[in-house]
Amino acid sequence: MLRVMKFGGTSVGSVDAVRQVTQILADAYRQGDRVAAVVSAMSGVTNQLLEAAAQAAAGNDQAHTQLRQALIERHRDTATALLTDSQRQHETIAHITALADRCSRLVESVHVLGHLSRRAEDWIASFGERMAAVLVAAALNQAGIPAEPVESDQIIVTDDQFGNASPLLDVTRERAHSILVPLLERGMLPVVTGYFGATLNGAVTTLGRGGSDYSAAILGYALDADEVWIWTDVDGVMTADPRLVPEARTLPAISYAEAAELAYFGAKVIHPRTMQPAASRGIPIWIKNTFNPDHPGTRIGPETVPNGSVVKAITAIPGISVITVEGSSFLSVADVTARVFEAVAKTGANVYMIFQASSQHSLGFAVRQHEAAMVHAALTREFELDLHKGLIARISEDSQLAIVAVVGAGMKGTPGVAGRVFNTLGQAGINIVAIAQGSSELNISFVIAEHEVARAVPAIHAAFGLASVPDSTHGTGITEPVTRSAVAPGN
Ligand code: ADP
Ligand code: ASP
Ligand code: MG
């Protein structure tokens, strides 16, 4: 059995957390399984790195020295508390300091240039994971497990879409086989950095924020792993974000498609692209709580597991803007639509929802608020002449909105779900800005004011009785696929 186990920022964010991670990895290793670990940066470190890089570009000549000090202090203090052997402690701190020095020099060069390129930003952002891997490997060695930190720019090969790179899976597979497999065969436990890879030319690229989950699935694919385990700070994928809905329940099993839909529409617990490589090889993904390892967590796999509820979960994405293009009857709807989305695609902005009724000459779509000005400017350029001639009436932006999505494969062909959602919102007096339902019928999503999310999500959660859905698959007739282990994690 080969398992890839990924630990998120909170799971490696403190001395106690790293001790817990060491225990989990050591237990799995001692059971005789081959284990590859993937680690995120300590919580808050990636934000700190990006902030320092931005400050340096904006002219702050102290940003790199302040960053260096903060990085060294946080990781050194953790190493000192964690490691008892003075030689090991000394070597680990020297390694961390060398990484902080390299990172600080990069931030300094951003200041000298007065410019932060996407490429430099990704390189700088990768240092949190590099330092965390050194710490976790040292803690494992202390526990008697032969472990080694491995930097993922040696293994995960990607395209050059800095900030949101995609893996080149075949080359990555070759690298994993030449670097990680020999380590695993020697009985080592590789501790691989999450979040980043590199282009074929060696330029560091990141897989998007929260991308360490994706790294784990890419490595699971590349190593033909039996399972990928994502260890985080909640008991699994839940019926809603427990920070918004305290009575949210853990979903024992969901499909890859449902998980991707939930993640895409805001469930931060898993990166939306994680499911792609796992699904292509049918590798199950378990979501588990580092701080409550006895809880069975959530299994994400090929099959949809009915739990007696048509709706599985409610998610939300705050910080959304809706852009509306209002045309006139002189332009064809198809022509305007094609030009709008070609112009938007060139900006690289992600479009979350599209709303249009072809009888109306208006087209709306939702983007992240921080990308809205860029999108608006691109459309104004594209339609400059049409605006001037009055063929396009206006291009407008509404901000401080949120998308809420109601997700579940059981909605397919079940009438009345939309009615119940909108009735609930109506009773709560929440205005709906726009509505969309994908033809896959996996979700119904709609746009509301951002400040209404805290009322809307709990109200819909209650309307579908999600606080009382069974948290076990017993009696559903669903059994584990025969080709995979039927042993629940934690046993
Ligand atoms: P990690 O650092 O381990 O990657 P994240 O902070 O990225 O962890 O993701 C875990 C967080 O996701 C949880 O603390 C929780 O607040 C949030 N979350 C949002 N939606 C959900 C959901 N549907 N189920 C579980 N957690 C969710
Ligand atoms: N450390 C990275 C981030 O904060 C990646 C991750 O946590 O998955 O986005
Ligand atoms: Mg995460």
Side-chain angles (χ1 to χ4, degrees), residues 191-455:
V191 182
V192 186
T193 53
Y195 184 40
F196 67 94
T199 63
L200 278 169
N201 295 332
V204 176
T205 51
T206 61
L207 302 167
R209 292 306 306 269
S212 298
D213 303 327
Y214 192 21
S215 309
I218 294 167
L219 292 175
Y221 172 100
L223 292 168
D224 292 314
D226 296 282
E227 291 180 347
V228 171
W229 290 23
I230 309 282
W231 291 89
T232 182
D233 56 6
V234 282
D235 285 338
V237 179
M238 306 181 78
T239 50
D241 185 342
R243 280 178 296 194
L244 270 180
V245 184
E247 59 276 21
R249 300 282 290 263
T250 300
L251 292 160
I254 54 174
S255 67
Y256 294 124
E258 287 172 320
E261 201 85 353
L262 279 164
Y264 183 78
F265 283 106
K268 191 183 169 224
V269 64
I270 188 153
H271 186 280
R273 289 158 85 192
T274 310
M275 273 54 71
Q276 285 167 8
S280 73
R281 286 197 189 273
I283 303 169
I285 303 171
W286 286 92
I287 312 288
K288 294 268 298 171
N289 190 345
T290 302
F291 307 100
N292 187 16
D294 291 334
H295 191 289
T298 300
R299 181 187 192 276
I300 304 174
E303 63 290 305
T304 290
V305 182
N307 65 347
S309 169
V310 285
V311 167
K312 289 262 172 74
I314 325 290
T315 61
I317 316 177
I320 288 289
S321 285
V322 167
I323 310 268
T324 309
V325 180
E326 281 179 63
S328 80
S329 51
F330 295 109
L331 287 180
S332 93
V333 172
D335 178 50
V336 172
T337 308
R339 285 170 62 195
V340 163
F341 290 113
E342 197 177 330
V344 176
K346 281 190 193 138
T347 66
N350 190 10
V351 173
Y352 285 86
M353 280 168 72
I354 301 168
F355 341 97
Q356 189 202 31
S358 56
S359 63
Q360 293 170 0
H361 295 274
S362 105
L363 170 73
F365 56 94
V367 293
R368 292 269 189 193
Q369 207 161 292
H370 66 88
E371 295 183 323
M374 170 179 83
V375 170
H376 194 281
L379 290 174
T380 308
R381 270 197 308 279
E382 168 64 30
F383 289 101
E384 194 178 358
L385 205 58
D386 306 85
L387 281 161
H388 189 65
K389 289 186 190 163
L391 294 173
I392 294 285
R394 73 181 63 80
I395 301 172
S396 54
E397 178 196 334
D398 288 309
S399 54
Q400 281 163 6
L401 301 172
I403 295 176
V404 174
V406 179
V407 180
M411 282 162 33
K412 202 174 174 70
T414 308
V417 177
R420 195 155 9 144
V421 170
F422 298 125
N423 196 15
T424 306
L425 293 172
Q427 276 171 1
I430 297 169
N431 182 46
I432 302 164
V433 177
I435 302 173
Q437 175 172 21
S439 53
S440 68
E441 288 190 59
L442 266 178
N443 89 77
I444 294 171
S445 40
F446 53 91
V447 177
I448 57 173
E450 195 175 55
H451 68 89
E452 299 283 31
V453 168
R455 287 201 306 131

